[in-house]
Amino acid sequence: MRSELQIRPAGHDRDGAPIWALQDPVNNQFYRLGWVEFELLSRWPAGRADEVLRQVAAETLLRPTQDEIEALHQVLMQNQLLEVRAPGHARNLHNLHQRSHASRLRWLLHHYLFFRVPLLRPAAALERLSRWLGWIYHPWTTWLVFGLSAVGLGLTARQWDTFAATFAQSLSPAGFLGYLVALFVTKSVHELGHALTATRYGVRVAHMGVAFLVMWPMLYTDTTESWRLADRRQRLAIASAGFISELALAGLATLAWHLVGEGPLKEALFFVATTAWMISLTLNISPFMRFDGYFVLSDALDMPNLHERAFALARAQLRRAVLGLPEPEPEALPAHLRRFLIAFAWITWTYRLVVFTGIAIAVYLFFFKLLGLLLFAVEIWWFIAKPVWNELQYWYSQRARAPRLRRMLLLAIPAVLLAVALWPWPTPVRAVAWHHPSQSVTLYSPLPARVQFLAQQGGHFSAGSPLLTLDQPDLSYYAERAAVTRDILDAEWRSVSSLDEGLERLPLVLQGRALREAEWQAAVAEGERLTLTAPFDGKLVDVDPNIEVGTWVSPRQPVASLIGPGPWLVEAFVTQSELPRLQLGAKARYYPIHLPGTAWAATVVDIEHTRLTQLPHPMLDARHGGPLPTLVDTRSPLQPRDSLYRVRLALDVDGGSPAAVGWGHAAIDAKPRSWLIEQLKPVVIVLIRELVF
């Protein structure tokens, strides 16, 4: 073994057996040794495997095997912990060096999302600072900070509306800059907490610097040497010191935000408080990635390499459950702990699937098209597809050990699932729809006016019957004024036409009379529009209950609707991807929302290939309780958010017509389609778009 390696006691394992830590000071790496490994390494200078095994068996209660010492030797060689003496050993090191050079491209593709840049060697400065800040570890300091933070959170709960409004106002370009500064402050406190706690327990902080996560800079502290501590509670304190410091800063900043007056300081305290709370509670405490929460949980369970050991247990259980393999347990653990670790592994896999997929999408969006597409594929392969592929390869290699029935099922089930996914199933096109009669009209006032008469809800009216009579006082005034002025000009025209000296004024009088006559006729015509009559025989429905005689109405306010006795229609709104599957004459079913369990037969009579620019009725708008979201701040108040196309259905209702206009859902028979091909189409479109354009 290399002479500079150091071995120190590291406490006891879960079963009470002593453990040791092997330190490689050159690479600043630590390796945990069990009782068997320690006894073997203690007699390693014997130089021969059989002699080492004989001494261990003679001097201890252990009985290691030749396989165990060979496995230990292989681990030492792989981690370059042995001196180069034999030619074969030198050749192995040379091959390892060549492989490392050959895999630089792989290393770059794998590590470009996360790498570290050491900047400081702060050990001496931390020693001096630790003597000045020793008081922060006093129990009274802990209780004081906890109490002040509780007061700050209590005040925030009482003024939550103010806090939420301040947060909403901070979401601006200036606020983004403030959050960046606050993030730097909170992460500095976080890393300083790690460094000071490590120094307090005698652990040397090798370096501090900046790590880049998805090209985003963040501070880090190297506390690798904490593994030399035998007391796991001290390691737990170092691992949790970062987010505990952040939480303390968040609590104190929250209280200070309530106490200081308005100004830049109050804004800065708000940025610090919200940033520290969010980062600590969403990122640092999570044990599913290798952040503080992972190391805290690892030390709390006293299980180094927690992820790898949990994954090994979950893989063994999966192989037994799926393949029926007699897979042995990777390690002996209590039943409750084994169940916890298996559940933890599955949650971690799910969490990482979401996170890594999000990172891959972010990488695709941040870089230019070709590079973004390449890096997206690398991320999906390395973090998601490759582990699954490796596991499937192991299953294939162990297929002979699986029971025959399991092997047949494992071959049959994927084949059946693939066939089901590829088979063109006649699935219907489902869409939001609304039903209305083929003859219908909505009554609107032609101008702001006052209601004089409104027909009764539910009444039947013949064509030409008055439905709504309105009054516009200004219009009556204009008509009366124009008539009076016209009459005055008529009298003046008769008087001046008989006088010779009045002939020169006659053209002006005639012109004024014609103008007033036109004004009077326009006012009369406009007044006639204030009486709305039925354009066809029908029934009056949807009368606004808030409108009565004497009420003023605006031109944009629907007053009532008249529906005719003709057949009813259904208008369905389908997406662009579903449009090619539809054809005229196809059968459909319509399910009105106000009649649960009812299905009406219908037939496709028209398919529009122009995008819908405005919803045909306000009741379809999501802002009014409808099913379709619309855009805000547009000229059209009913412009749909999504690309929708109108499909008209002729409704065939046995036993009568619907009672009123309403909406529901339509299921239209369509051309068969393959689910898998439909899911692959967007992927192919994106590939063609990115590679060609």
Side-chain angles (χ1 to χ4, degrees):
M1 295 182 62
R2 287 165 37 199
S3 59
E4 70 273 14
L5 299 179
Q6 302 174 14
I7 297 179
R8 295 184 178 87
H12 294 80
D13 206 346
R14 298 183 59 86
D15 57 1
I19 55 177
W20 289 262
L22 171 63
Q23 180 184 6
D24 181 359
V26 175
N27 297 319
N28 197 30
Q29 295 289 331
F30 285 81
Y31 306 89
R32 192 168 186 175
L33 302 176
W35 186 14
V36 175
E37 292 82 6
F38 174 76
E39 295 296 346
L40 292 173
L41 292 180
S42 298
R43 295 159 180 82
W44 205 260
R48 293 176 56 86
D50 54 354
E51 180 61 21
V52 171
L53 294 175
R54 188 193 65 78
Q55 291 182 14
V56 172
E59 300 172 8
T60 69
L61 299 176
L62 300 173
R63 297 295 182 269
T65 63
Q66 183 71 23
D67 292 338
E68 289 178 310
I69 196 170
E70 289 179 358
L72 177 60
H73 182 264
Q74 186 67 24
V75 171
L76 295 175
M77 287 185 59
Q78 289 178 350
N79 292 279
Q80 304 180 31
L81 300 177
L82 300 178
E83 293 184 355
V84 180
R85 291 184 179 176
H89 190 180
R91 186 163 51 253
N92 290 336
L93 289 178
H94 177 73
N95 293 336
L96 182 63
H97 179 70
Q98 292 295 329
R99 286 197 300 270
S100 66
H101 278 282
S103 61
R104 283 180 178 177
L105 178 59
R106 178 184 296 179
W107 183 95
L108 179 62
L109 290 174
H110 178 53
H111 289 82
Y112 76 97
L113 288 178
F114 182 78
F115 58 92
R116 292 178 172 183
V117 180
L119 298 177
L120 301 174
R121 297 186 180 275
L126 288 173
E127 287 285 352
R128 294 191 297 270
L129 189 60
S130 179
R131 291 193 293 268
W132 286 94
L133 297 178
W135 55 271
I136 64 176
Y137 295 96
H138 196 281
W140 283 109
T141 304
T142 303
W143 285 109
L144 179 62
V145 172
F146 179 80
L148 294 176
S149 301
V151 172
L153 290 175
L155 293 175
T156 303
R158 294 180 58 183
Q159 304 179 29
W160 179 253
D161 293 341
T162 303
F163 186 88
T166 305
F167 179 75
Q169 294 173 1
S170 67
L171 301 178
S172 63
F176 179 73
L177 180 60
Y179 279 117
L180 287 180
V181 176
L183 181 62
F184 175 78
V185 173
T186 55
K187 294 308 295 181
S188 297
V189 172
H190 178 105
E191 300 305 328
L192 190 60
H194 284 307
L196 287 175
T197 306
T199 304
R200 175 180 174 83
Y201 291 119
V203 174
R204 181 179 66 93
V205 177
H207 49 80
M208 301 175 70
V210 179
F212 290 86
L213 180 63
V214 196
M215 302 303 175
W216 182 266
M218 54 190 301
L219 301 177
Y220 81 93
T221 301
D222 183 11
T223 58
T224 307
E225 293 191 18
S226 62
W227 286 107
R228 63 190 296 180
L229 297 174
D231 189 348
R232 67 184 179 93
R233 291 176 297 181
Q234 295 179 349
R235 299 196 302 270
L236 182 62
I238 295 174
S240 59
F243 66 78
I244 289 177
S245 301
E246 270 190 37
L247 291 176
L249 177 65
L252 296 177
T254 302
L255 177 61
W257 177 73
H258 289 282
L259 299 180
V260 302
E262 297 294 334
L265 179 59
K266 189 178 183 69
E267 295 181 4
L269 289 171
F270 182 83
F271 288 138
V272 170
T274 52
T275 302
W277 284 121
M278 289 188 294
I279 294 297
S280 296
L281 298 178
T282 60
L283 184 63
N284 292 326
I285 297 181
S286 171
F288 308 118
M289 301 291 285
R290 286 185 175 269
F291 295 120
D292 290 352
Y294 166 77
F295 296 103
V296 169
L297 182 60
S298 178
D299 287 323
L301 297 176
D302 193 22
M303 296 192 68
N305 300 322
L306 176 61
H307 280 164
E308 289 74 10
R309 296 166 74 175
F311 295 165
L313 290 169
R315 282 194 296 266
Q317 184 206 44
L318 182 65
R319 293 164 183 172
R320 289 192 297 267
V322 176
L323 292 177
L325 295 177
E327 195 77 8
E329 291 290 351
E331 56 181 309
L333 293 172
H336 67 280
L337 180 59
R338 185 175 62 84
R339 289 193 295 268
F340 168 78
L341 292 177
I342 292 175
F344 174 73
W346 280 103
I347 296 174
T348 302
W349 284 337
T350 305
Y351 179 87
R352 289 188 173 186
L353 175 63
V354 175
V355 170
F356 290 146
T357 303
I359 291 176
I361 294 175
V363 169
Y364 166 71
L365 296 176
F366 288 164
F367 295 93
F368 61 87
K369 292 182 178 180
L370 185 58
L371 180 59
L373 193 63
L374 174 63
L375 296 180
F376 175 86
V378 169
E379 291 303 310
I380 293 296
W381 164 252
W382 188 269
F383 292 113
I384 299 176
K386 188 173 183 292
V388 175
W389 177 251
N390 291 339
E391 183 64 19
L392 292 177
Q393 283 184 315
Y394 178 84
W395 289 12
Y396 182 78
S397 66
Q398 301 295 318
R399 63 189 184 280
R401 299 172 56 200
R404 182 179 180 83
L405 180 60
R406 292 289 183 99
R407 295 202 304 269
M408 294 176 62
L409 288 176
L410 286 177
L411 292 176
I413 292 177
V416 171
L417 293 178
L418 182 61
V420 170
L422 288 174
W423 186 263
W425 297 96
T427 55
V429 171
R430 302 186 181 276
V432 173
W434 76 301
H435 60 274
H436 60 90
S438 57
Q439 284 185 310
S440 65
V441 64
T442 302
L443 304 182
Y444 290 91
S445 173
L447 67 159
R450 186 169 52 198
V451 176
Q452 283 188 333
F453 167 76
L454 178 60
Q456 186 178 1
Q457 164 83 13
H460 292 270
F461 300 90
S462 59
S465 301
L467 301 176
L468 176 65
T469 303
L470 302 164
D471 174 49
Q472 172 52 264
D474 291 340
L475 188 62
S476 301
Y477 168 75
Y478 293 143
E480 183 178 354
R481 187 180 65 177
V484 171
T485 306
R486 182 198 60 188
D487 294 341
I488 293 173
L489 291 174
D490 278 342
E492 184 178 0
W493 170 68
R494 287 192 295 269
S495 64
V496 302
S497 61
S498 61
L499 302 175
D500 295 337
E501 62 273 13
L503 294 177
E504 60 184 15
R505 295 186 60 245
L506 187 60
L508 294 176
V509 173
L510 292 176
Q511 183 179 2
R513 183 189 180 283
L515 179 60
R516 297 300 178 265
E517 177 71 18
E519 289 180 354
W520 178 79
Q521 291 180 358
V524 170
E526 194 72 10
E528 293 176 352
R529 293 178 58 207
L530 294 178
T531 299
L532 279 68
T533 60
F536 48 79
D537 296 345
K539 176 182 178 183
L540 194 67
V541 296
D542 295 336
V543 177
D544 191 337
N546 298 320
I547 296 178
E548 56 186 17
V549 175
T551 303
W552 283 82
V553 294
S554 74
R556 300 179 62 182
Q557 180 180 0
V559 178
S561 296
L562 182 71
I563 58 176
W568 284 64
L569 297 177
V570 173
E571 292 183 359
F573 309 102
V574 303
T575 60
Q576 185 177 9
S577 61
E578 300 284 10
L579 203 61
R581 300 182 57 215
L582 301 178
Q583 53 188 350
L584 295 176
K587 298 299 181 182
R589 279 120 2 244
Y590 176 66
Y591 305 91
I593 197 69
H594 66 285
L595 295 175
T598 301
W600 292 332
T603 305
V604 177
V605 295
D606 183 42
I607 301 175
E608 292 188 359
H609 294 274
T610 303
R611 178 180 175 180
L612 185 69
T613 58
Q614 184 174 356
L615 297 180
H617 200 284
M619 70 177 176
L620 298 171
D621 190 350
R623 291 176 293 177
H624 300 158
L628 297 175
T630 56
L631 299 175
V632 296
D633 299 330
T634 59
R635 293 183 178 179
S636 174
L638 297 177
Q639 182 176 349
R641 183 194 63 187
D642 304 321
S643 297
L644 299 176
Y645 296 81
R646 194 193 321 252
V647 177
R648 291 185 175 86
L649 313 174
L651 191 60
D652 180 18
V653 182
D654 296 333
S657 299
V661 175
W663 66 273
H665 296 87
I668 308 171
D669 293 344
K671 299 175 183 178
R673 68 171 179 180
S674 167
W675 177 86
L676 183 59
I677 293 177
E678 289 296 323
Q679 299 303 315
L680 290 178
K681 279 183 180 179
V683 178
V684 175
I685 291 173
V686 171
L687 288 174
I688 295 175
R689 182 187 66 198
E690 300 298 335
L691 293 176
V692 175
F693 300 101

